[in-house]
mmCIF file of all heavy atoms in Angstrom:
data_model
loop_
_atom_site.group_PDB
_atom_site.id
_atom_site.type_symbol
_atom_site.label_atom_id
_atom_site.label_comp_id
_atom_site.label_asym_id
_atom_site.label_seq_id
_atom_site.Cartn_x
_atom_site.Cartn_y
_atom_site.Cartn_z
ATOM 1 N N ARG A 53 -11.886 8.112 -67.001
ATOM 2 C CA ARG A 53 -10.593 8.374 -66.330
ATOM 3 C C ARG A 53 -9.748 7.058 -66.280
ATOM 4 O O ARG A 53 -8.542 6.999 -66.477
ATOM 5 C CB ARG A 53 -10.838 8.877 -64.941
ATOM 6 C CG ARG A 53 -11.452 10.185 -64.854
ATOM 7 C CD ARG A 53 -11.687 10.754 -63.505
ATOM 8 N NE ARG A 53 -10.520 10.975 -62.717
ATOM 9 C CZ ARG A 53 -10.478 11.495 -61.531
ATOM 10 N NH1 ARG A 53 -11.560 11.787 -60.907
ATOM 11 N NH2 ARG A 53 -9.292 11.732 -60.831
ATOM 12 N N LYS A 54 -10.476 5.906 -66.015
ATOM 13 C CA LYS A 54 -9.681 4.584 -66.039
ATOM 14 C C LYS A 54 -9.211 4.326 -67.410
ATOM 15 O O LYS A 54 -8.139 3.751 -67.573
ATOM 16 C CB LYS A 54 -10.727 3.587 -65.530
ATOM 17 C CG LYS A 54 -11.008 3.645 -64.042
ATOM 18 C CD LYS A 54 -12.066 2.617 -63.644
ATOM 19 C CE LYS A 54 -12.399 2.714 -62.115
ATOM 20 N NZ LYS A 54 -13.318 1.647 -61.669
ATOM 21 N N GLN A 55 -10.061 4.650 -68.510
ATOM 22 C CA GLN A 55 -9.562 4.426 -69.766
ATOM 23 C C GLN A 55 -8.259 5.167 -70.146
ATOM 24 O O GLN A 55 -7.302 4.589 -70.740
ATOM 25 C CB GLN A 55 -10.712 4.763 -70.782
ATOM 26 C CG GLN A 55 -11.910 3.965 -70.758
ATOM 27 C CD GLN A 55 -11.827 2.526 -71.177
ATOM 28 O OE1 GLN A 55 -11.374 1.724 -70.476
ATOM 29 N NE2 GLN A 55 -12.215 2.328 -72.354
ATOM 30 N N MET A 56 -8.264 6.451 -69.704
ATOM 31 C CA MET A 56 -7.063 7.247 -70.077
ATOM 32 C C MET A 56 -5.870 6.759 -69.220
ATOM 33 O O MET A 56 -4.794 6.719 -69.657
ATOM 34 C CB MET A 56 -7.385 8.739 -69.552
ATOM 35 C CG MET A 56 -8.386 9.416 -70.518
ATOM 36 S SD MET A 56 -7.941 9.274 -72.204
ATOM 37 C CE MET A 56 -6.403 10.198 -72.308
ATOM 38 N N ARG A 57 -6.210 6.189 -68.091
ATOM 39 C CA ARG A 57 -5.017 5.632 -67.245
ATOM 40 C C ARG A 57 -4.439 4.356 -67.975
ATOM 41 O O ARG A 57 -3.219 4.202 -67.995
ATOM 42 C CB ARG A 57 -5.569 5.278 -65.881
ATOM 43 C CG ARG A 57 -4.354 5.045 -64.785
ATOM 44 C CD ARG A 57 -4.935 4.636 -63.402
ATOM 45 N NE ARG A 57 -5.642 5.891 -62.951
ATOM 46 C CZ ARG A 57 -6.960 5.825 -62.571
ATOM 47 N NH1 ARG A 57 -7.630 4.760 -62.718
ATOM 48 N NH2 ARG A 57 -7.502 6.905 -62.130
ATOM 49 N N ILE A 58 -5.338 3.518 -68.421
ATOM 50 C CA ILE A 58 -4.944 2.320 -69.234
ATOM 51 C C ILE A 58 -4.062 2.714 -70.488
ATOM 52 O O ILE A 58 -3.074 2.082 -70.673
ATOM 53 C CB ILE A 58 -6.163 1.498 -69.610
ATOM 54 C CG1 ILE A 58 -6.803 0.891 -68.332
ATOM 55 C CG2 ILE A 58 -5.764 0.393 -70.622
ATOM 56 C CD1 ILE A 58 -8.203 0.219 -68.725
ATOM 57 N N ILE A 59 -4.506 3.715 -71.216
ATOM 58 C CA ILE A 59 -3.763 4.233 -72.251
ATOM 59 C C ILE A 59 -2.321 4.699 -72.027
ATOM 60 O O ILE A 59 -1.331 4.271 -72.552
ATOM 61 C CB ILE A 59 -4.541 5.330 -73.095
ATOM 62 C CG1 ILE A 59 -5.788 4.704 -73.697
ATOM 63 C CG2 ILE A 59 -3.671 5.945 -74.221
ATOM 64 C CD1 ILE A 59 -6.817 5.784 -74.319
ATOM 65 N N SER A 60 -2.377 5.534 -70.857
ATOM 66 C CA SER A 60 -1.118 6.041 -70.408
ATOM 67 C C SER A 60 -0.181 4.983 -69.976
ATOM 68 O O SER A 60 1.089 4.955 -70.292
ATOM 69 C CB SER A 60 -1.319 7.052 -69.234
ATOM 70 O OG SER A 60 -0.131 7.503 -68.684
ATOM 71 N N GLU A 61 -0.675 3.977 -69.204
ATOM 72 C CA GLU A 61 0.184 2.921 -68.663
ATOM 73 C C GLU A 61 0.640 2.059 -69.797
ATOM 74 O O GLU A 61 1.826 1.549 -69.760
ATOM 75 C CB GLU A 61 -0.600 2.071 -67.688
ATOM 76 C CG GLU A 61 -0.783 2.780 -66.316
ATOM 77 C CD GLU A 61 -1.722 2.033 -65.484
ATOM 78 O OE1 GLU A 61 -2.369 0.976 -65.897
ATOM 79 O OE2 GLU A 61 -1.956 2.362 -64.224
ATOM 80 N N THR A 62 -0.185 1.838 -70.815
ATOM 81 C CA THR A 62 0.260 0.997 -71.993
ATOM 82 C C THR A 62 1.394 1.637 -72.788
ATOM 83 O O THR A 62 2.369 0.913 -73.082
ATOM 84 C CB THR A 62 -0.970 0.855 -72.928
ATOM 85 O OG1 THR A 62 -2.033 0.245 -72.204
ATOM 86 C CG2 THR A 62 -0.588 -0.144 -74.127
ATOM 87 N N PHE A 63 1.341 2.968 -72.973
ATOM 88 C CA PHE A 63 2.478 3.627 -73.568
ATOM 89 C C PHE A 63 3.725 3.532 -72.697
ATOM 90 O O PHE A 63 4.913 3.398 -73.189
ATOM 91 C CB PHE A 63 2.171 5.050 -73.965
ATOM 92 C CG PHE A 63 1.361 5.203 -75.194
ATOM 93 C CD1 PHE A 63 -0.043 5.393 -75.207
ATOM 94 C CD2 PHE A 63 2.006 4.970 -76.471
ATOM 95 C CE1 PHE A 63 -0.722 5.550 -76.378
ATOM 96 C CE2 PHE A 63 1.226 5.055 -77.669
ATOM 97 C CZ PHE A 63 -0.123 5.365 -77.606
ATOM 98 N N LYS A 64 3.577 3.876 -71.451
ATOM 99 C CA LYS A 64 4.740 3.912 -70.554
ATOM 100 C C LYS A 64 5.405 2.550 -70.411
ATOM 101 O O LYS A 64 6.695 2.472 -70.296
ATOM 102 C CB LYS A 64 4.382 4.541 -69.136
ATOM 103 C CG LYS A 64 4.129 5.917 -69.151
ATOM 104 C CD LYS A 64 3.638 6.369 -67.830
ATOM 105 C CE LYS A 64 3.295 7.940 -67.673
ATOM 106 N NZ LYS A 64 2.999 8.348 -66.391
ATOM 107 N N GLY A 65 4.667 1.485 -70.343
ATOM 108 C CA GLY A 65 5.155 0.178 -70.048
ATOM 109 C C GLY A 65 5.129 -0.673 -71.232
ATOM 110 O O GLY A 65 5.057 -1.924 -71.208
ATOM 111 N N TYR A 66 5.201 -0.095 -72.432
ATOM 112 C CA TYR A 66 5.129 -0.871 -73.710
ATOM 113 C C TYR A 66 6.017 -2.090 -73.740
ATOM 114 O O TYR A 66 5.632 -3.230 -74.017
ATOM 115 C CB TYR A 66 5.375 0.015 -74.866
ATOM 116 C CG TYR A 66 5.406 -0.720 -76.255
ATOM 117 C CD1 TYR A 66 4.137 -1.050 -76.906
ATOM 118 C CD2 TYR A 66 6.525 -1.193 -76.825
ATOM 119 C CE1 TYR A 66 4.146 -1.667 -78.079
ATOM 120 C CE2 TYR A 66 6.562 -1.917 -77.982
ATOM 121 C CZ TYR A 66 5.326 -2.236 -78.611
ATOM 122 O OH TYR A 66 5.309 -2.888 -79.783
ATOM 123 N N THR A 67 7.264 -1.824 -73.369
ATOM 124 C CA THR A 67 8.303 -2.940 -73.548
ATOM 125 C C THR A 67 8.013 -4.104 -72.644
ATOM 126 O O THR A 67 7.944 -5.308 -73.105
ATOM 127 C CB THR A 67 9.718 -2.414 -73.228
ATOM 128 O OG1 THR A 67 10.083 -1.316 -74.136
ATOM 129 C CG2 THR A 67 10.784 -3.492 -73.420
ATOM 130 N N GLU A 68 7.662 -3.754 -71.302
ATOM 131 C CA GLU A 68 7.444 -4.921 -70.398
ATOM 132 C C GLU A 68 6.055 -5.601 -70.688
ATOM 133 O O GLU A 68 5.962 -6.891 -70.545
ATOM 134 C CB GLU A 68 7.480 -4.341 -68.987
ATOM 135 C CG GLU A 68 8.811 -3.886 -68.548
ATOM 136 C CD GLU A 68 8.798 -3.214 -67.192
ATOM 137 O OE1 GLU A 68 8.755 -3.914 -66.220
ATOM 138 O OE2 GLU A 68 8.818 -2.001 -67.075
ATOM 139 N N ILE A 69 5.088 -4.805 -71.118
ATOM 140 C CA ILE A 69 3.842 -5.415 -71.534
ATOM 141 C C ILE A 69 4.006 -6.310 -72.655
ATOM 142 O O ILE A 69 3.415 -7.421 -72.790
ATOM 143 C CB ILE A 69 2.794 -4.266 -71.714
ATOM 144 C CG1 ILE A 69 2.509 -3.496 -70.541
ATOM 145 C CG2 ILE A 69 1.498 -4.788 -72.311
ATOM 146 C CD1 ILE A 69 1.671 -2.250 -70.747
ATOM 147 N N GLN A 70 4.807 -5.850 -73.718
ATOM 148 C CA GLN A 70 4.966 -6.677 -74.857
ATOM 149 C C GLN A 70 5.725 -7.985 -74.591
ATOM 150 O O GLN A 70 5.330 -9.096 -74.977
ATOM 151 C CB GLN A 70 5.866 -5.930 -75.916
ATOM 152 C CG GLN A 70 6.028 -6.724 -77.157
ATOM 153 C CD GLN A 70 4.860 -6.900 -78.010
ATOM 154 O OE1 GLN A 70 3.901 -6.125 -77.848
ATOM 155 N NE2 GLN A 70 4.858 -7.920 -78.905
ATOM 156 N N LEU A 71 6.802 -7.902 -73.709
ATOM 157 C CA LEU A 71 7.563 -9.106 -73.326
ATOM 158 C C LEU A 71 6.725 -10.084 -72.497
ATOM 159 O O LEU A 71 6.975 -11.241 -72.535
ATOM 160 C CB LEU A 71 8.787 -8.598 -72.609
ATOM 161 C CG LEU A 71 9.854 -7.904 -73.380
ATOM 162 C CD1 LEU A 71 10.950 -7.434 -72.514
ATOM 163 C CD2 LEU A 71 10.411 -8.769 -74.509
ATOM 164 N N ASN A 72 5.766 -9.585 -71.816
ATOM 165 C CA ASN A 72 5.016 -10.444 -70.877
ATOM 166 C C ASN A 72 3.721 -10.811 -71.382
ATOM 167 O O ASN A 72 2.838 -11.449 -70.745
ATOM 168 C CB ASN A 72 4.753 -9.656 -69.452
ATOM 169 C CG ASN A 72 6.061 -9.673 -68.658
ATOM 170 O OD1 ASN A 72 6.360 -10.604 -68.016
ATOM 171 N ND2 ASN A 72 6.731 -8.573 -68.540
ATOM 172 N N HIS A 73 3.486 -10.476 -72.670
ATOM 173 C CA HIS A 73 2.325 -10.819 -73.402
ATOM 174 C C HIS A 73 1.046 -10.265 -72.612
ATOM 175 O O HIS A 73 0.056 -11.045 -72.517
ATOM 176 C CB HIS A 73 2.224 -12.291 -73.673
ATOM 177 C CG HIS A 73 3.353 -12.940 -74.375
ATOM 178 N ND1 HIS A 73 3.585 -12.703 -75.760
ATOM 179 C CD2 HIS A 73 4.430 -13.660 -73.924
ATOM 180 C CE1 HIS A 73 4.653 -13.252 -76.116
ATOM 181 N NE2 HIS A 73 5.169 -13.895 -75.084
ATOM 182 N N ALA A 74 1.127 -9.143 -72.104
ATOM 183 C CA ALA A 74 0.060 -8.509 -71.312
ATOM 184 C C ALA A 74 -0.989 -7.775 -72.112
ATOM 185 O O ALA A 74 -1.889 -7.302 -71.511
ATOM 186 C CB ALA A 74 0.653 -7.739 -70.149
ATOM 187 N N PHE A 75 -0.698 -7.562 -73.310
ATOM 188 C CA PHE A 75 -1.585 -6.703 -74.157
ATOM 189 C C PHE A 75 -3.065 -7.194 -74.162
ATOM 190 O O PHE A 75 -3.982 -6.377 -74.081
ATOM 191 C CB PHE A 75 -1.028 -6.521 -75.591
ATOM 192 C CG PHE A 75 -0.154 -5.366 -75.749
ATOM 193 C CD1 PHE A 75 1.165 -5.501 -76.097
ATOM 194 C CD2 PHE A 75 -0.568 -4.065 -75.530
ATOM 195 C CE1 PHE A 75 2.075 -4.375 -76.150
ATOM 196 C CE2 PHE A 75 0.254 -2.902 -75.735
ATOM 197 C CZ PHE A 75 1.512 -3.108 -75.972
ATOM 198 N N PRO A 76 -3.255 -8.520 -74.327
ATOM 199 C CA PRO A 76 -4.692 -9.001 -74.365
ATOM 200 C C PRO A 76 -5.348 -8.588 -73.073
ATOM 201 O O PRO A 76 -6.626 -8.142 -73.128
ATOM 202 C CB PRO A 76 -4.508 -10.474 -74.422
ATOM 203 C CG PRO A 76 -3.214 -10.723 -75.167
ATOM 204 C CD PRO A 76 -2.267 -9.588 -74.615
ATOM 205 N N LEU A 77 -4.684 -8.627 -71.910
ATOM 206 C CA LEU A 77 -5.328 -8.246 -70.656
ATOM 207 C C LEU A 77 -5.760 -6.762 -70.684
ATOM 208 O O LEU A 77 -6.891 -6.307 -70.317
ATOM 209 C CB LEU A 77 -4.519 -8.510 -69.463
ATOM 210 C CG LEU A 77 -5.035 -8.120 -68.103
ATOM 211 C CD1 LEU A 77 -6.372 -8.778 -67.780
ATOM 212 C CD2 LEU A 77 -4.072 -8.321 -67.000
ATOM 213 N N PHE A 78 -4.756 -5.865 -71.095
ATOM 214 C CA PHE A 78 -5.020 -4.490 -71.158
ATOM 215 C C PHE A 78 -6.162 -4.155 -72.172
ATOM 216 O O PHE A 78 -7.003 -3.200 -71.973
ATOM 217 C CB PHE A 78 -3.740 -3.673 -71.502
ATOM 218 C CG PHE A 78 -2.704 -3.478 -70.392
ATOM 219 C CD1 PHE A 78 -1.975 -4.413 -69.871
ATOM 220 C CD2 PHE A 78 -2.783 -2.162 -69.814
ATOM 221 C CE1 PHE A 78 -1.145 -4.357 -68.913
ATOM 222 C CE2 PHE A 78 -1.874 -2.012 -68.729
ATOM 223 C CZ PHE A 78 -1.088 -3.099 -68.228
ATOM 224 N N HIS A 79 -6.082 -4.947 -73.350
ATOM 225 C CA HIS A 79 -7.098 -4.651 -74.348
ATOM 226 C C HIS A 79 -8.522 -5.077 -73.889
ATOM 227 O O HIS A 79 -9.527 -4.342 -74.088
ATOM 228 C CB HIS A 79 -6.740 -5.507 -75.584
ATOM 229 C CG HIS A 79 -7.656 -5.230 -76.772
ATOM 230 N ND1 HIS A 79 -8.765 -6.071 -77.041
ATOM 231 C CD2 HIS A 79 -7.730 -4.291 -77.667
ATOM 232 C CE1 HIS A 79 -9.389 -5.634 -78.047
ATOM 233 N NE2 HIS A 79 -8.797 -4.569 -78.499
ATOM 234 N N LYS A 80 -8.569 -6.203 -73.114
ATOM 235 C CA LYS A 80 -9.899 -6.671 -72.529
ATOM 236 C C LYS A 80 -10.336 -5.559 -71.568
ATOM 237 O O LYS A 80 -11.724 -5.270 -71.643
ATOM 238 C CB LYS A 80 -9.624 -7.960 -71.811
ATOM 239 C CG LYS A 80 -10.955 -8.529 -71.152
ATOM 240 C CD LYS A 80 -10.591 -9.890 -70.389
ATOM 241 C CE LYS A 80 -11.864 -10.314 -69.725
ATOM 242 N NZ LYS A 80 -11.567 -11.583 -68.926
ATOM 243 N N ARG A 81 -9.561 -4.991 -70.670
ATOM 244 C CA ARG A 81 -9.949 -4.035 -69.721
ATOM 245 C C ARG A 81 -10.520 -2.766 -70.346
ATOM 246 O O ARG A 81 -11.506 -2.225 -70.073
ATOM 247 C CB ARG A 81 -8.856 -3.605 -68.787
ATOM 248 C CG ARG A 81 -8.562 -4.678 -67.867
ATOM 249 C CD ARG A 81 -7.330 -4.265 -66.914
ATOM 250 N NE ARG A 81 -6.913 -5.441 -66.032
ATOM 251 C CZ ARG A 81 -5.896 -5.328 -65.216
ATOM 252 N NH1 ARG A 81 -5.103 -4.336 -65.266
ATOM 253 N NH2 ARG A 81 -5.647 -6.335 -64.273
ATOM 254 N N PHE A 82 -9.740 -2.430 -71.525
ATOM 255 C CA PHE A 82 -10.228 -1.261 -72.304
ATOM 256 C C PHE A 82 -11.600 -1.430 -72.985
ATOM 257 O O PHE A 82 -12.338 -0.579 -73.004
ATOM 258 C CB PHE A 82 -9.123 -0.887 -73.349
ATOM 259 C CG PHE A 82 -9.213 0.411 -73.958
ATOM 260 C CD1 PHE A 82 -8.886 1.665 -73.349
ATOM 261 C CD2 PHE A 82 -9.919 0.452 -75.187
ATOM 262 C CE1 PHE A 82 -9.133 2.828 -73.970
ATOM 263 C CE2 PHE A 82 -10.067 1.772 -75.825
ATOM 264 C CZ PHE A 82 -9.666 2.956 -75.185
ATOM 265 N N GLU A 83 -11.754 -2.621 -73.610
ATOM 266 C CA GLU A 83 -13.029 -3.070 -74.225
ATOM 267 C C GLU A 83 -14.187 -3.047 -73.171
ATOM 268 O O GLU A 83 -15.255 -2.566 -73.558
ATOM 269 C CB GLU A 83 -12.844 -4.340 -74.909
ATOM 270 C CG GLU A 83 -12.062 -4.350 -76.189
ATOM 271 C CD GLU A 83 -12.891 -3.676 -77.286
ATOM 272 O OE1 GLU A 83 -14.076 -3.654 -77.239
ATOM 273 O OE2 GLU A 83 -12.216 -3.081 -78.247
ATOM 274 N N GLU A 84 -13.899 -3.561 -71.972
ATOM 275 C CA GLU A 84 -14.917 -3.532 -70.983
ATOM 276 C C GLU A 84 -15.382 -2.208 -70.657
ATOM 277 O O GLU A 84 -16.541 -1.853 -70.412
ATOM 278 C CB GLU A 84 -14.492 -4.381 -69.765
ATOM 279 C CG GLU A 84 -14.323 -5.879 -69.976
ATOM 280 C CD GLU A 84 -13.719 -6.547 -68.790
ATOM 281 O OE1 GLU A 84 -13.204 -5.819 -67.810
ATOM 282 O OE2 GLU A 84 -13.651 -7.766 -68.724
ATOM 283 N N GLY A 85 -14.345 -1.210 -70.586
ATOM 284 C CA GLY A 85 -14.686 0.086 -70.307
ATOM 285 C C GLY A 85 -15.462 0.789 -71.309
ATOM 286 O O GLY A 85 -16.511 1.510 -71.069
ATOM 287 N N LEU A 86 -15.178 0.439 -72.573
ATOM 288 C CA LEU A 86 -15.976 1.019 -73.810
ATOM 289 C C LEU A 86 -17.453 0.534 -73.684
ATOM 290 O O LEU A 86 -18.298 1.261 -73.951
ATOM 291 C CB LEU A 86 -15.306 0.635 -74.995
ATOM 292 C CG LEU A 86 -13.945 1.318 -75.435
ATOM 293 C CD1 LEU A 86 -13.538 0.721 -76.803
ATOM 294 C CD2 LEU A 86 -14.170 2.851 -75.576
ATOM 295 N N GLN A 87 -17.590 -0.713 -73.415
ATOM 296 C CA GLN A 87 -18.921 -1.215 -73.324
ATOM 297 C C GLN A 87 -19.716 -0.586 -72.292
ATOM 298 O O GLN A 87 -20.883 -0.246 -72.417
ATOM 299 C CB GLN A 87 -18.958 -2.781 -73.122
ATOM 300 C CG GLN A 87 -18.338 -3.543 -74.237
ATOM 301 C CD GLN A 87 -18.196 -5.087 -73.958
ATOM 302 O OE1 GLN A 87 -18.626 -5.531 -72.954
ATOM 303 N NE2 GLN A 87 -17.714 -5.776 -74.935
ATOM 304 N N LYS A 88 -19.121 -0.381 -71.059
ATOM 305 C CA LYS A 88 -19.877 0.332 -70.000
ATOM 306 C C LYS A 88 -20.182 1.694 -70.299
ATOM 307 O O LYS A 88 -21.241 2.286 -70.108
ATOM 308 C CB LYS A 88 -18.979 0.323 -68.702
ATOM 309 C CG LYS A 88 -18.912 -1.109 -68.058
ATOM 310 C CD LYS A 88 -18.088 -1.102 -66.857
ATOM 311 C CE LYS A 88 -17.969 -2.537 -66.266
ATOM 312 N NZ LYS A 88 -17.102 -2.477 -65.004
ATOM 313 N N ILE A 89 -19.186 2.434 -70.979
ATOM 314 C CA ILE A 89 -19.388 3.883 -71.402
ATOM 315 C C ILE A 89 -20.529 3.867 -72.460
ATOM 316 O O ILE A 89 -21.489 4.740 -72.301
ATOM 317 C CB ILE A 89 -18.161 4.430 -72.092
ATOM 318 C CG1 ILE A 89 -17.097 4.687 -70.979
ATOM 319 C CG2 ILE A 89 -18.477 5.731 -72.792
ATOM 320 C CD1 ILE A 89 -15.782 5.101 -71.593
ATOM 321 N N SER A 90 -20.603 2.868 -73.350
ATOM 322 C CA SER A 90 -21.699 2.834 -74.330
ATOM 323 C C SER A 90 -23.060 2.680 -73.659
ATOM 324 O O SER A 90 -24.046 3.347 -74.045
ATOM 325 C CB SER A 90 -21.427 1.807 -75.340
ATOM 326 O OG SER A 90 -22.491 1.606 -76.232
ATOM 327 N N LEU A 91 -22.995 1.753 -72.671
ATOM 328 C CA LEU A 91 -24.235 1.510 -71.877
ATOM 329 C C LEU A 91 -24.779 2.707 -71.195
ATOM 330 O O LEU A 91 -25.975 3.089 -71.269
ATOM 331 C CB LEU A 91 -24.030 0.354 -70.900
ATOM 332 C CG LEU A 91 -25.223 0.061 -69.954
ATOM 333 C CD1 LEU A 91 -26.460 -0.458 -70.824
ATOM 334 C CD2 LEU A 91 -24.800 -1.023 -68.975
ATOM 335 N N TYR A 92 -23.879 3.485 -70.512
ATOM 336 C CA TYR A 92 -24.292 4.583 -69.659
ATOM 337 C C TYR A 92 -24.738 5.813 -70.618
ATOM 338 O O TYR A 92 -25.626 6.511 -70.359
ATOM 339 C CB TYR A 92 -23.157 5.111 -68.774
ATOM 340 C CG TYR A 92 -22.978 4.191 -67.685
ATOM 341 C CD1 TYR A 92 -21.719 3.674 -67.266
ATOM 342 C CD2 TYR A 92 -24.045 3.895 -66.707
ATOM 343 C CE1 TYR A 92 -21.492 2.787 -66.250
ATOM 344 C CE2 TYR A 92 -23.774 3.056 -65.706
ATOM 345 C CZ TYR A 92 -22.542 2.595 -65.361
ATOM 346 O OH TYR A 92 -22.384 1.733 -64.316
ATOM 347 N N ARG A 93 -24.013 5.924 -71.771
ATOM 348 C CA ARG A 93 -24.379 6.911 -72.743
ATOM 349 C C ARG A 93 -25.761 6.675 -73.288
ATOM 350 O O ARG A 93 -26.598 7.613 -73.552
ATOM 351 C CB ARG A 93 -23.266 6.987 -73.911
ATOM 352 C CG ARG A 93 -23.613 7.962 -75.006
ATOM 353 C CD ARG A 93 -23.868 9.340 -74.579
ATOM 354 N NE ARG A 93 -23.135 9.904 -73.523
ATOM 355 C CZ ARG A 93 -23.321 11.006 -72.849
ATOM 356 N NH1 ARG A 93 -24.425 11.635 -73.126
ATOM 357 N NH2 ARG A 93 -22.467 11.447 -71.960
ATOM 358 N N GLU A 94 -26.033 5.454 -73.623
ATOM 359 C CA GLU A 94 -27.402 5.010 -74.221
ATOM 360 C C GLU A 94 -28.438 5.268 -73.201
ATOM 361 O O GLU A 94 -29.516 5.796 -73.510
ATOM 362 C CB GLU A 94 -27.345 3.483 -74.552
ATOM 363 C CG GLU A 94 -28.618 3.066 -75.192
ATOM 364 C CD GLU A 94 -28.572 1.584 -75.512
ATOM 365 O OE1 GLU A 94 -27.466 0.985 -75.496
ATOM 366 O OE2 GLU A 94 -29.629 0.981 -75.849
ATOM 367 N N GLU A 95 -28.255 4.960 -71.877
ATOM 368 C CA GLU A 95 -29.222 5.128 -70.809
ATOM 369 C C GLU A 95 -29.386 6.640 -70.702
ATOM 370 O O GLU A 95 -30.558 7.093 -70.432
ATOM 371 C CB GLU A 95 -28.783 4.504 -69.520
ATOM 372 C CG GLU A 95 -28.759 3.019 -69.518
ATOM 373 C CD GLU A 95 -30.278 2.478 -69.698
ATOM 374 O OE1 GLU A 95 -31.170 3.041 -68.983
ATOM 375 O OE2 GLU A 95 -30.390 1.578 -70.472
ATOM 376 N N THR A 96 -28.321 7.457 -70.669
ATOM 377 C CA THR A 96 -28.477 8.923 -70.626
ATOM 378 C C THR A 96 -29.249 9.518 -71.694
ATOM 379 O O THR A 96 -30.169 10.292 -71.389
ATOM 380 C CB THR A 96 -27.102 9.572 -70.480
ATOM 381 O OG1 THR A 96 -26.244 9.055 -69.449
ATOM 382 C CG2 THR A 96 -27.178 11.109 -70.459
ATOM 383 N N ASP A 97 -28.981 9.055 -72.904
ATOM 384 C CA ASP A 97 -29.772 9.654 -74.114
ATOM 385 C C ASP A 97 -31.203 9.270 -73.945
ATOM 386 O O ASP A 97 -32.083 10.113 -74.286
ATOM 387 C CB ASP A 97 -29.167 9.014 -75.375
ATOM 388 C CG ASP A 97 -27.826 9.625 -75.714
ATOM 389 O OD1 ASP A 97 -27.464 10.703 -75.079
ATOM 390 O OD2 ASP A 97 -27.051 9.064 -76.464
#
């Protein structure tokens, strides 16, 4: 759910995120979420 929120916010605030060079932060948060999802999926399997 947090991942989907990050994606939605990135599209909605594209201009301001681009101008403020905030994409690396959003990308980092998204990558951290992917790693946690991978970990929980591995543990579940």
Side-chain angles (χ1 to χ4, degrees):
R53 291 178 69 176
K54 292 179 181 178
Q55 296 289 83
M56 292 305 300
R57 193 177 300 119
I58 290 173
I59 293 172
S60 176
E61 289 173 350
T62 302
F63 277 107
K64 287 180 180 179
Y66 175 83
T67 303
E68 292 175 81
I69 292 173
Q70 180 71 22
L71 292 174
N72 288 282
H73 304 289
F75 269 115
L77 177 61
F78 279 77
H79 185 263
K80 179 183 178 182
R81 290 176 179 174
F82 191 80
E83 284 289 334
E84 288 174 352
L86 284 180
Q87 291 175 5
K88 290 180 180 179
I89 289 173
S90 178
L91 176 63
Y92 287 127
R93 176 50 48 192
E94 184 179 344
E95 290 297 314
T96 300
D97 290 343

